[in-house]
Amino acid sequence: MLTLQEVEHIAILARLELSAEEKERFRRQLSAILEYAARLQELDTSGIPPTSSVLPPRSVLRPDAVEPGLSVEELLKNAPRSENGQFRVPPVLGLE
Amino acid sequence: MTDLTQLTLRQAHQALESGECSSLELTRATLERIERLEPKLHAFITLTPELALEQAAQADQLRARWRREGGELPPLLGLPLAVKDLLCLAGVRCTCGSRILENFIPPYTATSVERLLTAGMVVIGKTNTDEYAMGSSTENSAYGPTRNPWNLRHVPGGSSGGSAAAVSARLAAAALGTDTGGSVRQPASFCGITGLKPTYGRVSRYGLVAYGSSLDSVGAFGRTAQDVALVFSQMAGYDRRDATSMDLPLPAIQLEDDDSSLAGLRIGVPDEYFIQGIQPEVENAVRRAIVSFEALGAFVSPVSLPHTEYALPVYYLIAPAEASANLARYDGIRFGARLDSDNILDLFTRTRGQMFGAEVKRRIMLGTYALSAGYYDAYYGQAQKVRTLIKRDFEQAFEKVDLIAAPVAPSTAFRFDEHLDDPLAMYLEDVFTLPANLAGVPGLAFPVGFDSNNLPIGMQLMGPHFREDLLFRAAHAYQQTTDWHQRAPSLS
């Protein structure tokens, strides 16, 4: 069973604000899912390599050449706030 | 005059070629039917009638010039297409079923969509989906659920439920979907139509909004294998903008009307897909279909995929883990909604906490946990190793057989709210579709019967990597000798 503290810790890592009711619900539901997932421990996987891609391993390279991309104007079109051709954000330095 | 909306993609293509109708007439008929039935079904999030009529007019002009001057015509010129709202089309908003992207207008077009536009298709709208494709019913869409055309009290399946319902209800002859854990095949099955999940690496994922990047694929819906093959053939192939797209030749897919012999084809039937708890009518219909394949000349034998039962826990660790990383981009800074604050951390957590739906938050939490320090090896690492075992199951099976036949889902379309409070029960709906994504193999779902409630039953064929042609050939042969795929829901 996950504890409330663990749920709160994961929520901070995931950058999610959760209500008290959500924390309790996720604690219950995630515990049930993780308990179900625990059956994977039944399998002996020593010597089995992990699969991160089903494709054959290969390097994908392209010429290092400058190509046209999206304009600054187009890139900022979907930004919630922008100013002087830049994304506008609250201060990111000086936080405790 | 015939009702143009009842034509399959291939029939509509012939009607355009023969001059029986114009693309404008076909598109207008489609839009009128959508206007009439959409209040009942809610298959679309955004309709694009102006764009569609403009593209249809251009298609008609191009065809008129071709009649005068000859030359070459784009292969699918003037045919309407519905696009899942998880694939970008420049200038048309792409919500991904999420409130956080309610006003997001992508500046570029997904390769799959772009290739179909180049092939001449006419985009009629963006279809409903579970938020970020996370769901099996479209109940997780922030824009309300889509209803199953066969019974409005039942779900259409998901996550590509809008596309499946649209094709089933004849609101479009063809539609695009995406399949990360069954999101094309399961709704195709629930709505009684044909749907392809291609091999991982066969269709470019560029412009597909990422959910589980090692599993995501762009697929297609139609009423027949022939129709799905037409769409697939145009969108498949290498794209340098997707590093996982493979530069391999696409075998020509020739599906002739009288071609129904499957002599020499070896079809394997895995015991592991006929588990306890499966709806008896589903099992019976699938087994009857397998007998039909035998009658067409296929050689049927049992085959074993021993790690099938582990696909569900493997998927529900790997997909959420990848999702938790992919969805980190929704931070309220560069695009999407933002809930302002003077403190940047509050801005992130409030925006994400309030704008994401419950299932998306649940999977981000699950994935973050599975990747977090101290749990990585036990959960994510172990899941990746078991994924190898599942992949090997398929490799070994395909040494003995050409295709694998199985049900798509344990039951027919369930009712709304049936699983809403129990995520694990909802995840169990995906038990037969997840293995193909984990192994990267292609799968094709198509109707093989109906249950006593008149809800469609689907089966899937799975094949070796990059052998979509075999799937199409087998399903086409079956559809030449059966009529399940021709049945239509009665909607007035």
Side-chain angles (χ1 to χ4, degrees):
Chain A
M1 241 351 201
L2 291 178
T3 64
L4 194 62
Q5 286 71 30
E6 283 175 306
V7 170
E8 284 172 344
H9 175 64
I10 305 164
I12 290 170
L13 292 177
R15 301 288 185 262
L16 289 171
E17 179 190 76
L18 300 179
S19 67
E21 188 266 333
E22 279 179 313
K23 287 177 194 168
E24 177 49 31
R25 185 151 38 90
F26 284 161
R27 192 182 69 80
R28 220 168 1 92
Q29 292 172 338
L30 296 181
S31 296
I33 296 164
L34 290 170
E35 197 181 315
Y36 185 83
R39 67 183 54 192
L40 292 181
Q41 309 303 327
E42 295 166 6
L43 290 168
D44 179 7
T45 53
S46 47
I48 305 291
T51 292
S52 53
S53 169
V54 294
L55 300 173
R58 71 218 156 100
S59 292
V60 180
L61 302 172
R62 61 168 173 77
D64 187 15
V66 178
E67 292 175 28
L70 295 171
S71 66
V72 171
E73 191 192 321
E74 278 176 303
L75 278 168
L76 290 176
K77 225 177 232 173
N78 281 293
R81 301 208 191 292
S82 63
E83 204 175 297
N84 298 331
Q86 294 164 25
F87 297 108
R88 189 180 161 83
V89 296
V92 292
L93 297 173
L95 300 175
E96 75 272 36
Chain B
M1 190 171 168
T2 49
D3 180 354
L4 298 175
T5 62
Q6 300 302 309
L7 302 177
T8 64
L9 193 68
R10 194 161 178 268
Q11 289 166 343
H13 185 246
Q14 286 160 352
L16 289 171
E17 279 203 322
S18 68
E20 195 187 315
C21 73
S22 68
S23 178
L24 263 178
E25 286 164 340
L26 178 62
T27 305
R28 281 204 190 100
T30 302
L31 294 172
E32 278 163 24
R33 186 170 171 85
I34 291 172
E35 198 175 337
R36 191 156 58 78
L37 293 176
E38 185 59 2
K40 274 187 190 167
L41 296 169
H42 187 45
F44 290 86
I45 291 178
T46 306
L47 286 164
T48 54
E50 296 88 1
L51 178 71
L53 291 170
E54 188 191 313
Q55 289 173 342
Q58 280 171 7
D60 286 339
Q61 281 165 18
L62 200 58
R63 195 178 295 277
R65 198 171 67 203
W66 171 79
R67 285 194 205 289
R68 289 194 309 270
E69 299 167 14
E72 273 213 45
L73 271 190
L76 300 176
L77 184 65
L79 293 164
L81 175 76
V83 176
K84 185 180 186 179
D85 205 18
L86 205 71
L87 291 160
C88 290
L89 171 58
V92 175
R93 78 168 176 159
C94 185
T95 70
C96 298
S98 182
R99 275 177 69 207
I100 209 164
L101 292 183
E102 191 168 357
N103 299 307
F104 172 62
I105 298 180
Y108 61 93
T109 299
T111 299
S112 51
V113 178
E114 194 173 84
R115 288 188 178 171
L116 293 171
L117 288 172
T118 304
M121 294 192 92
V122 167
V123 175
I124 53 170
K126 305 290 295 289
T127 57
N128 199 11
T129 168
D130 288 292
E131 187 174 3
Y132 290 104
M134 297 182 194
S136 313
S137 68
T138 72
E139 288 165 293
N140 296 331
S141 167
Y143 302 88
T146 297
R147 295 179 183 281
N148 191 314
W150 290 92
N151 186 326
L152 301 177
R153 291 189 304 276
H154 289 250
V155 304
S159 65
S160 313
S163 284
V167 170
S168 168
R170 277 65 172 157
L171 307 184
L176 293 187
T178 67
D179 192 315
T180 303
S183 282
V184 165
R185 288 162 290 152
Q186 186 253 24
S189 173
F190 280 14
C191 291
I193 59 168
T194 305
L196 173 77
K197 173 228 173 285
T199 310
Y200 186 82
R202 179 63 105 179
V203 179
S204 170
R205 292 181 297 112
Y206 178 79
L208 157 63
V209 177
Y211 156 28
S213 302
S214 78
L215 304 156
D216 291 341
S217 64
V218 182
F221 296 97
R223 274 147 54 198
T224 65
Q226 266 181 333
D227 283 3
V228 176
L230 283 174
V231 175
F232 167 72
S233 302
Q234 292 305 317
M235 69 174 175
Y238 176 68
D239 176 18
R240 69 185 190 96
R241 292 176 296 185
D242 173 5
T244 61
S245 108
M246 295 294 279
D247 194 1
L248 292 171
L250 191 66
I253 301 168
Q254 301 287 354
L255 304 172
E256 304 303 333
D257 275 349
D258 54 355
D259 189 4
S260 64
S261 170
L262 294 178
L265 191 75
R266 298 167 301 167
I267 297 181
V269 181
D271 266 353
E272 292 87 353
Y273 282 70
F274 296 89
I275 49 172
Q276 225 178 3
I278 187 172
Q279 187 180 332
E281 291 164 298
V282 170
E283 169 159 3
N284 292 339
V286 172
R287 290 206 186 273
R288 270 198 306 275
I290 291 168
V291 171
S292 304
F293 279 106
E294 253 178 322
L296 293 170
F299 179 73
V300 174
S301 65
V303 72
S304 181
L305 299 165
H307 296 93
T308 299
E309 62 169 308
Y310 298 104
L312 187 80
V314 168
Y315 178 87
Y316 279 100
L317 292 171
I318 289 178
E322 293 183 4
S324 72
N326 275 327
L327 272 65
R329 71 191 64 173
Y330 305 104
D331 55 7
I333 304 296
R334 292 154 300 167
F335 60 103
R338 160 151 156 188
L339 296 178
D340 252 317
S341 167
D342 294 341
N343 177 307
I344 189 124
L345 192 59
D346 285 350
L347 185 157
F348 292 152
T349 59
R350 285 183 55 204
T351 297
R352 293 163 59 79
Q354 294 186 33
M355 302 309 283
F356 282 142
E359 183 61 27
V360 171
K361 284 190 271 190
R362 192 152 40 232
R363 291 196 197 186
I364 291 174
M365 292 284 289
L366 188 56
T368 303
Y369 181 80
L371 290 174
S372 65
Y375 300 101
Y376 183 97
D377 289 339
Y379 287 102
Y380 186 67
Q382 178 71 354
Q384 282 191 310
K385 289 178 184 170
V386 180
R387 183 176 184 181
T388 303
L389 297 174
I390 291 166
K391 193 172 159 246
R392 286 181 185 172
D393 281 357
F394 279 94
E395 286 163 3
Q396 280 157 16
F398 288 131
E399 283 171 12
K400 299 185 201 87
V401 297
D402 302 306
L403 295 176
I404 291 170
V408 178
S411 67
T412 55
F414 48 91
R415 283 170 177 264
F416 286 102
D417 298 329
E418 216 171 295
H419 300 314
L420 263 192
D421 293 327
D422 188 352
L424 194 54
M426 185 74 101
Y427 298 169
L428 283 163
E429 294 291 338
D430 305 335
V431 64
F432 298 149
T433 49
L434 303 171
N437 297 84
L438 292 169
V441 302
L444 184 69
F446 50 94
V448 294
F450 287 80
D451 73 3
S452 54
N453 293 316
N454 200 34
L455 290 166
I457 297 170
M459 84 174 263
Q460 62 177 330
L461 291 171
M462 293 175 277
H465 285 167
F466 303 104
R467 290 311 303 271
E468 290 86 359
D469 60 315
L470 280 183
L471 303 178
F472 285 126
R473 195 184 134 214
H476 174 67
Y478 178 79
Q479 292 180 338
Q480 291 305 105
T481 52
T482 55
D483 67 355
W484 305 115
H485 61 290
Q486 290 170 356
R487 305 217 183 165
S490 57
L491 288 156
S492 44

